[in-house]
PDB file of all heavy atoms in Angstrom:
ATOM      1  N   GLY A  16       0.743  -1.249   0.000  1.00 96.00           N
ATOM      2  CA  GLY A  16       0.000   0.000   0.000  1.00 96.00           C
ATOM      3  C   GLY A  16       0.773   1.300   0.000  1.00 96.00           C
ATOM      4  O   GLY A  16       0.172   2.361  -0.037  1.00 96.00           O
ATOM      5  N   TRP A  17       2.092   1.254   0.033  1.00 97.00           N
ATOM      6  CA  TRP A  17       2.851   2.503   0.074  1.00 97.00           C
ATOM      7  C   TRP A  17       2.794   3.199  -1.280  1.00 97.00           C
ATOM      8  O   TRP A  17       2.964   2.583  -2.322  1.00 97.00           O
ATOM      9  CB  TRP A  17       4.308   2.246   0.450  1.00 97.00           C
ATOM     10  CG  TRP A  17       4.483   1.862   1.883  1.00 97.00           C
ATOM     11  CD1 TRP A  17       4.774   0.624   2.358  1.00 97.00           C
ATOM     12  CD2 TRP A  17       4.368   2.701   3.022  1.00 97.00           C
ATOM     13  NE1 TRP A  17       4.849   0.645   3.730  1.00 97.00           N
ATOM     14  CE2 TRP A  17       4.602   1.915   4.161  1.00 97.00           C
ATOM     15  CE3 TRP A  17       4.086   4.058   3.193  1.00 97.00           C
ATOM     16  CZ2 TRP A  17       4.567   2.430   5.457  1.00 97.00           C
ATOM     17  CZ3 TRP A  17       4.058   4.574   4.487  1.00 97.00           C
ATOM     18  CH2 TRP A  17       4.292   3.764   5.599  1.00 97.00           C
ATOM     19  N   THR A  18       2.534   4.500  -1.245  1.00 97.00           N
ATOM     20  CA  THR A  18       2.528   5.322  -2.452  1.00 97.00           C
ATOM     21  C   THR A  18       3.138   6.677  -2.104  1.00 97.00           C
ATOM     22  O   THR A  18       3.134   7.085  -0.943  1.00 97.00           O
ATOM     23  CB  THR A  18       1.097   5.478  -3.016  1.00 97.00           C
ATOM     24  OG1 THR A  18       1.159   6.156  -4.267  1.00 97.00           O
ATOM     25  CG2 THR A  18       0.189   6.241  -2.076  1.00 97.00           C
ATOM     26  N   TYR A  19       3.659   7.357  -3.093  1.00 97.00           N
ATOM     27  CA  TYR A  19       4.235   8.675  -2.860  1.00 97.00           C
ATOM     28  C   TYR A  19       3.116   9.703  -2.697  1.00 97.00           C
ATOM     29  O   TYR A  19       2.187   9.752  -3.503  1.00 97.00           O
ATOM     30  CB  TYR A  19       5.188   9.065  -3.989  1.00 97.00           C
ATOM     31  CG  TYR A  19       6.449   8.249  -3.943  1.00 97.00           C
ATOM     32  CD1 TYR A  19       6.599   7.116  -4.729  1.00 97.00           C
ATOM     33  CD2 TYR A  19       7.481   8.587  -3.070  1.00 97.00           C
ATOM     34  CE1 TYR A  19       7.749   6.346  -4.661  1.00 97.00           C
ATOM     35  CE2 TYR A  19       8.634   7.826  -2.986  1.00 97.00           C
ATOM     36  CZ  TYR A  19       8.758   6.697  -3.786  1.00 97.00           C
ATOM     37  OH  TYR A  19       9.898   5.938  -3.702  1.00 97.00           O
ATOM     38  N   GLY A  20       3.217  10.507  -1.650  1.00 96.00           N
ATOM     39  CA  GLY A  20       2.186  11.485  -1.338  1.00 96.00           C
ATOM     40  C   GLY A  20       1.895  12.443  -2.482  1.00 96.00           C
ATOM     41  O   GLY A  20       0.730  12.739  -2.771  1.00 96.00           O
ATOM     42  N   ASP A  21       2.936  12.938  -3.134  1.00 96.00           N
ATOM     43  CA  ASP A  21       2.724  13.873  -4.242  1.00 96.00           C
ATOM     44  C   ASP A  21       1.982  13.208  -5.393  1.00 96.00           C
ATOM     45  O   ASP A  21       1.107  13.815  -6.014  1.00 96.00           O
ATOM     46  CB  ASP A  21       4.054  14.446  -4.733  1.00 96.00           C
ATOM     47  CG  ASP A  21       4.707  15.360  -3.706  1.00 96.00           C
ATOM     48  OD1 ASP A  21       4.004  15.838  -2.791  1.00 96.00           O
ATOM     49  OD2 ASP A  21       5.925  15.595  -3.822  1.00 96.00           O
ATOM     50  N   ASP A  22       2.325  11.959  -5.688  1.00 97.00           N
ATOM     51  CA  ASP A  22       1.646  11.229  -6.763  1.00 97.00           C
ATOM     52  C   ASP A  22       0.172  11.003  -6.418  1.00 97.00           C
ATOM     53  O   ASP A  22      -0.707  11.150  -7.269  1.00 97.00           O
ATOM     54  CB  ASP A  22       2.311   9.874  -7.025  1.00 97.00           C
ATOM     55  CG  ASP A  22       3.717  10.006  -7.596  1.00 97.00           C
ATOM     56  OD1 ASP A  22       4.055  11.096  -8.105  1.00 97.00           O
ATOM     57  OD2 ASP A  22       4.476   9.013  -7.526  1.00 97.00           O
ATOM     58  N   LEU A  23      -0.091  10.643  -5.172  1.00 96.00           N
ATOM     59  CA  LEU A  23      -1.466  10.411  -4.744  1.00 96.00           C
ATOM     60  C   LEU A  23      -2.279  11.697  -4.820  1.00 96.00           C
ATOM     61  O   LEU A  23      -3.392  11.702  -5.337  1.00 96.00           O
ATOM     62  CB  LEU A  23      -1.499   9.837  -3.323  1.00 96.00           C
ATOM     63  CG  LEU A  23      -2.885   9.575  -2.751  1.00 96.00           C
ATOM     64  CD1 LEU A  23      -3.635   8.535  -3.583  1.00 96.00           C
ATOM     65  CD2 LEU A  23      -2.779   9.141  -1.304  1.00 96.00           C
ATOM     66  N   ALA A  24      -1.715  12.781  -4.319  1.00 97.00           N
ATOM     67  CA  ALA A  24      -2.423  14.061  -4.361  1.00 97.00           C
ATOM     68  C   ALA A  24      -2.762  14.442  -5.799  1.00 97.00           C
ATOM     69  O   ALA A  24      -3.885  14.834  -6.100  1.00 97.00           O
ATOM     70  CB  ALA A  24      -1.586  15.159  -3.696  1.00 97.00           C
ATOM     71  N   ARG A  25      -1.789  14.291  -6.681  1.00 97.00           N
ATOM     72  CA  ARG A  25      -2.008  14.614  -8.095  1.00 97.00           C
ATOM     73  C   ARG A  25      -3.104  13.746  -8.695  1.00 97.00           C
ATOM     74  O   ARG A  25      -3.976  14.225  -9.397  1.00 97.00           O
ATOM     75  CB  ARG A  25      -0.694  14.467  -8.873  1.00 97.00           C
ATOM     76  CG  ARG A  25      -0.728  14.982 -10.272  1.00 97.00           C
ATOM     77  CD  ARG A  25       0.636  15.019 -10.986  1.00 97.00           C
ATOM     78  NE  ARG A  25       1.706  14.139 -10.530  1.00 97.00           N
ATOM     79  CZ  ARG A  25       2.649  14.449  -9.611  1.00 97.00           C
ATOM     80  NH1 ARG A  25       2.654  15.601  -9.036  1.00 97.00           N
ATOM     81  NH2 ARG A  25       3.589  13.594  -9.270  1.00 97.00           N
ATOM     82  N   SER A  26      -3.080  12.445  -8.396  1.00 96.00           N
ATOM     83  CA  SER A  26      -4.084  11.536  -8.958  1.00 96.00           C
ATOM     84  C   SER A  26      -5.492  11.834  -8.429  1.00 96.00           C
ATOM     85  O   SER A  26      -6.473  11.565  -9.099  1.00 96.00           O
ATOM     86  CB  SER A  26      -3.717  10.077  -8.702  1.00 96.00           C
ATOM     87  OG  SER A  26      -3.920   9.735  -7.353  1.00 96.00           O
ATOM     88  N   LEU A  27      -5.569  12.406  -7.235  1.00 94.00           N
ATOM     89  CA  LEU A  27      -6.860  12.769  -6.658  1.00 94.00           C
ATOM     90  C   LEU A  27      -7.267  14.204  -6.999  1.00 94.00           C
ATOM     91  O   LEU A  27      -8.330  14.664  -6.584  1.00 94.00           O
ATOM     92  CB  LEU A  27      -6.833  12.582  -5.136  1.00 94.00           C
ATOM     93  CG  LEU A  27      -6.681  11.146  -4.651  1.00 94.00           C
ATOM     94  CD1 LEU A  27      -6.533  11.106  -3.134  1.00 94.00           C
ATOM     95  CD2 LEU A  27      -7.844  10.296  -5.103  1.00 94.00           C
ATOM     96  N   GLY A  28      -6.409  14.902  -7.741  1.00 95.00           N
ATOM     97  CA  GLY A  28      -6.736  16.266  -8.166  1.00 95.00           C
ATOM     98  C   GLY A  28      -6.691  17.287  -7.051  1.00 95.00           C
ATOM     99  O   GLY A  28      -7.482  18.227  -7.027  1.00 95.00           O
ATOM    100  N   MET A  29      -5.756  17.098  -6.123  1.00 95.00           N
ATOM    101  CA  MET A  29      -5.628  18.055  -5.026  1.00 95.00           C
ATOM    102  C   MET A  29      -4.164  18.388  -4.802  1.00 95.00           C
ATOM    103  O   MET A  29      -3.279  17.687  -5.287  1.00 95.00           O
ATOM    104  CB  MET A  29      -6.250  17.492  -3.736  1.00 95.00           C
ATOM    105  CG  MET A  29      -5.567  16.258  -3.185  1.00 95.00           C
ATOM    106  SD  MET A  29      -6.316  15.614  -1.668  1.00 95.00           S
ATOM    107  CE  MET A  29      -7.832  14.937  -2.265  1.00 95.00           C
ATOM    108  N   SER A  30      -3.929  19.446  -4.078  1.00 97.00           N
ATOM    109  CA  SER A  30      -2.558  19.820  -3.747  1.00 97.00           C
ATOM    110  C   SER A  30      -2.054  18.946  -2.603  1.00 97.00           C
ATOM    111  O   SER A  30      -2.863  18.407  -1.828  1.00 97.00           O
ATOM    112  CB  SER A  30      -2.496  21.290  -3.333  1.00 97.00           C
ATOM    113  OG  SER A  30      -3.116  21.461  -2.070  1.00 97.00           O
ATOM    114  N   PRO A  31      -0.740  18.828  -2.474  1.00 95.00           N
ATOM    115  CA  PRO A  31      -0.202  18.081  -1.326  1.00 95.00           C
ATOM    116  C   PRO A  31      -0.654  18.678   0.018  1.00 95.00           C
ATOM    117  O   PRO A  31      -0.881  17.940   0.976  1.00 95.00           O
ATOM    118  CB  PRO A  31       1.311  18.193  -1.503  1.00 95.00           C
ATOM    119  CG  PRO A  31       1.491  18.365  -2.977  1.00 95.00           C
ATOM    120  CD  PRO A  31       0.318  19.201  -3.411  1.00 95.00           C
ATOM    121  N   GLU A  32      -0.819  19.978   0.070  1.00 96.00           N
ATOM    122  CA  GLU A  32      -1.261  20.631   1.300  1.00 96.00           C
ATOM    123  C   GLU A  32      -2.699  20.228   1.644  1.00 96.00           C
ATOM    124  O   GLU A  32      -3.018  19.958   2.801  1.00 96.00           O
ATOM    125  CB  GLU A  32      -1.160  22.155   1.179  1.00 96.00           C
ATOM    126  CG  GLU A  32       0.259  22.662   1.086  1.00 96.00           C
ATOM    127  CD  GLU A  32       0.905  22.484  -0.288  1.00 96.00           C
ATOM    128  OE1 GLU A  32       0.181  22.295  -1.297  1.00 96.00           O
ATOM    129  OE2 GLU A  32       2.147  22.508  -0.344  1.00 96.00           O
ATOM    130  N   THR A  33      -3.565  20.188   0.626  1.00 96.00           N
ATOM    131  CA  THR A  33      -4.952  19.764   0.840  1.00 96.00           C
ATOM    132  C   THR A  33      -4.993  18.317   1.311  1.00 96.00           C
ATOM    133  O   THR A  33      -5.772  17.966   2.203  1.00 96.00           O
ATOM    134  CB  THR A  33      -5.776  19.934  -0.448  1.00 96.00           C
ATOM    135  OG1 THR A  33      -5.776  21.315  -0.813  1.00 96.00           O
ATOM    136  CG2 THR A  33      -7.216  19.453  -0.266  1.00 96.00           C
ATOM    137  N   MET A  34      -4.140  17.488   0.730  1.00 95.00           N
ATOM    138  CA  MET A  34      -4.094  16.091   1.135  1.00 95.00           C
ATOM    139  C   MET A  34      -3.681  15.973   2.608  1.00 95.00           C
ATOM    140  O   MET A  34      -4.264  15.196   3.359  1.00 95.00           O
ATOM    141  CB  MET A  34      -3.139  15.286   0.257  1.00 95.00           C
ATOM    142  CG  MET A  34      -3.231  13.790   0.547  1.00 95.00           C
ATOM    143  SD  MET A  34      -2.057  12.828  -0.398  1.00 95.00           S
ATOM    144  CE  MET A  34      -0.542  13.257   0.454  1.00 95.00           C
ATOM    145  N   LYS A  35      -2.721  16.767   3.026  1.00 94.00           N
ATOM    146  CA  LYS A  35      -2.291  16.733   4.428  1.00 94.00           C
ATOM    147  C   LYS A  35      -3.425  17.137   5.360  1.00 94.00           C
ATOM    148  O   LYS A  35      -3.605  16.553   6.432  1.00 94.00           O
ATOM    149  CB  LYS A  35      -1.079  17.641   4.628  1.00 94.00           C
ATOM    150  CG  LYS A  35       0.180  17.086   4.015  1.00 94.00           C
ATOM    151  CD  LYS A  35       1.344  18.044   4.161  1.00 94.00           C
ATOM    152  CE  LYS A  35       2.549  17.509   3.413  1.00 94.00           C
ATOM    153  NZ  LYS A  35       3.672  18.448   3.434  1.00 94.00           N
ATOM    154  N   VAL A  36      -4.217  18.113   4.958  1.00 95.00           N
ATOM    155  CA  VAL A  36      -5.368  18.531   5.754  1.00 95.00           C
ATOM    156  C   VAL A  36      -6.380  17.387   5.849  1.00 95.00           C
ATOM    157  O   VAL A  36      -6.939  17.116   6.916  1.00 95.00           O
ATOM    158  CB  VAL A  36      -6.025  19.807   5.164  1.00 95.00           C
ATOM    159  CG1 VAL A  36      -7.363  20.092   5.825  1.00 95.00           C
ATOM    160  CG2 VAL A  36      -5.088  20.994   5.309  1.00 95.00           C
ATOM    161  N   GLN A  37      -6.597  16.695   4.747  1.00 94.00           N
ATOM    162  CA  GLN A  37      -7.545  15.580   4.767  1.00 94.00           C
ATOM    163  C   GLN A  37      -7.047  14.433   5.640  1.00 94.00           C
ATOM    164  O   GLN A  37      -7.838  13.778   6.317  1.00 94.00           O
ATOM    165  CB  GLN A  37      -7.860  15.120   3.344  1.00 94.00           C
ATOM    166  CG  GLN A  37      -8.711  16.135   2.606  1.00 94.00           C
ATOM    167  CD  GLN A  37      -9.303  15.613   1.327  1.00 94.00           C
ATOM    168  OE1 GLN A  37      -9.202  14.433   0.999  1.00 94.00           O
ATOM    169  NE2 GLN A  37      -9.950  16.503   0.586  1.00 94.00           N
ATOM    170  N   VAL A  38      -5.749  14.173   5.639  1.00 93.00           N
ATOM    171  CA  VAL A  38      -5.174  13.160   6.534  1.00 93.00           C
ATOM    172  C   VAL A  38      -5.444  13.558   7.987  1.00 93.00           C
ATOM    173  O   VAL A  38      -5.894  12.750   8.802  1.00 93.00           O
ATOM    174  CB  VAL A  38      -3.666  12.975   6.277  1.00 93.00           C
ATOM    175  CG1 VAL A  38      -3.008  12.180   7.396  1.00 93.00           C
ATOM    176  CG2 VAL A  38      -3.429  12.313   4.932  1.00 93.00           C
ATOM    177  N   TYR A  39      -5.205  14.811   8.297  1.00 93.00           N
ATOM    178  CA  TYR A  39      -5.451  15.315   9.650  1.00 93.00           C
ATOM    179  C   TYR A  39      -6.925  15.127  10.042  1.00 93.00           C
ATOM    180  O   TYR A  39      -7.241  14.667  11.141  1.00 93.00           O
ATOM    181  CB  TYR A  39      -5.057  16.795   9.742  1.00 93.00           C
ATOM    182  CG  TYR A  39      -5.532  17.462  11.010  1.00 93.00           C
ATOM    183  CD1 TYR A  39      -4.832  17.292  12.208  1.00 93.00           C
ATOM    184  CD2 TYR A  39      -6.681  18.239  11.022  1.00 93.00           C
ATOM    185  CE1 TYR A  39      -5.277  17.884  13.380  1.00 93.00           C
ATOM    186  CE2 TYR A  39      -7.132  18.837  12.192  1.00 93.00           C
ATOM    187  CZ  TYR A  39      -6.425  18.662  13.357  1.00 93.00           C
ATOM    188  OH  TYR A  39      -6.868  19.245  14.516  1.00 93.00           O
ATOM    189  N   ARG A  40      -7.829  15.471   9.135  1.00 91.00           N
ATOM    190  CA  ARG A  40      -9.262  15.366   9.422  1.00 91.00           C
ATOM    191  C   ARG A  40      -9.699  13.914   9.616  1.00 91.00           C
ATOM    192  O   ARG A  40     -10.544  13.625  10.471  1.00 91.00           O
ATOM    193  CB  ARG A  40     -10.071  16.030   8.311  1.00 91.00           C
ATOM    194  CG  ARG A  40      -9.948  17.537   8.356  1.00 91.00           C
ATOM    195  CD  ARG A  40     -10.717  18.201   7.252  1.00 91.00           C
ATOM    196  NE  ARG A  40     -10.592  19.648   7.368  1.00 91.00           N
ATOM    197  CZ  ARG A  40     -10.848  20.489   6.390  1.00 91.00           C
ATOM    198  NH1 ARG A  40     -11.265  20.044   5.210  1.00 91.00           N
ATOM    199  NH2 ARG A  40     -10.698  21.787   6.576  1.00 91.00           N
ATOM    200  N   ALA A  41      -9.136  13.006   8.834  1.00 88.00           N
ATOM    201  CA  ALA A  41      -9.471  11.584   8.996  1.00 88.00           C
ATOM    202  C   ALA A  41      -9.022  11.096  10.366  1.00 88.00           C
ATOM    203  O   ALA A  41      -9.781  10.423  11.082  1.00 88.00           O
ATOM    204  CB  ALA A  41      -8.822  10.757   7.893  1.00 88.00           C
ATOM    205  N   ARG A  42      -7.799  11.434  10.739  1.00 87.00           N
ATOM    206  CA  ARG A  42      -7.297  11.014  12.047  1.00 87.00           C
ATOM    207  C   ARG A  42      -8.124  11.609  13.176  1.00 87.00           C
ATOM    208  O   ARG A  42      -8.459  10.936  14.150  1.00 87.00           O
ATOM    209  CB  ARG A  42      -5.837  11.428  12.195  1.00 87.00           C
ATOM    210  CG  ARG A  42      -4.892  10.619  11.340  1.00 87.00           C
ATOM    211  CD  ARG A  42      -3.498  11.168  11.437  1.00 87.00           C
ATOM    212  NE  ARG A  42      -2.530  10.304  10.757  1.00 87.00           N
ATOM    213  CZ  ARG A  42      -1.321  10.703  10.408  1.00 87.00           C
ATOM    214  NH1 ARG A  42      -0.930  11.936  10.676  1.00 87.00           N
ATOM    215  NH2 ARG A  42      -0.505   9.871   9.797  1.00 87.00           N
ATOM    216  N   ARG A  43      -8.446  12.869  13.029  1.00 87.00           N
ATOM    217  CA  ARG A  43      -9.217  13.550  14.071  1.00 87.00           C
ATOM    218  C   ARG A  43     -10.610  12.948  14.226  1.00 87.00           C
ATOM    219  O   ARG A  43     -11.118  12.805  15.338  1.00 87.00           O
ATOM    220  CB  ARG A  43      -9.310  15.034  13.754  1.00 87.00           C
ATOM    221  CG  ARG A  43     -10.007  15.784  14.846  1.00 87.00           C
ATOM    222  CD  ARG A  43      -9.892  17.241  14.662  1.00 87.00           C
ATOM    223  NE  ARG A  43     -10.759  17.884  15.650  1.00 87.00           N
ATOM    224  CZ  ARG A  43     -10.681  19.131  15.975  1.00 87.00           C
ATOM    225  NH1 ARG A  43      -9.785  19.889  15.397  1.00 87.00           N
ATOM    226  NH2 ARG A  43     -11.479  19.635  16.865  1.00 87.00           N
ATOM    227  N   GLN A  44     -11.243  12.597  13.106  1.00 85.00           N
ATOM    228  CA  GLN A  44     -12.579  12.016  13.183  1.00 85.00           C
ATOM    229  C   GLN A  44     -12.567  10.685  13.935  1.00 85.00           C
ATOM    230  O   GLN A  44     -13.524  10.329  14.610  1.00 85.00           O
ATOM    231  CB  GLN A  44     -13.177  11.834  11.787  1.00 85.00           C
ATOM    232  CG  GLN A  44     -14.629  11.413  11.840  1.00 85.00           C
ATOM    233  CD  GLN A  44     -15.270  11.238  10.486  1.00 85.00           C
ATOM    234  OE1 GLN A  44     -14.594  11.080   9.479  1.00 85.00           O
ATOM    235  NE2 GLN A  44     -16.590  11.264  10.460  1.00 85.00           N
TER     236      GLN A  44
END
């Protein structure tokens, strides 16, 4: 399951910063 964060963000159509925020929100929930 390991993937590069920048590649994942790009494939999901978001910035790396937005992806980091979403990671934070998932953990917080």
Side-chain angles (χ1 to χ4, degrees):
W17 288 107
T18 186
Y19 289 96
D21 292 341
D22 293 342
L23 179 62
R25 190 172 23 268
S26 73
L27 294 175
M29 64 180 72
S30 70
E32 293 77 19
T33 299
M34 188 183 73
K35 288 177 186 176
V36 169
Q37 289 193 7
V38 167
Y39 168 80
R40 288 179 178 162
R42 288 175 173 163
R43 184 170 172 164
Q44 188 179 19

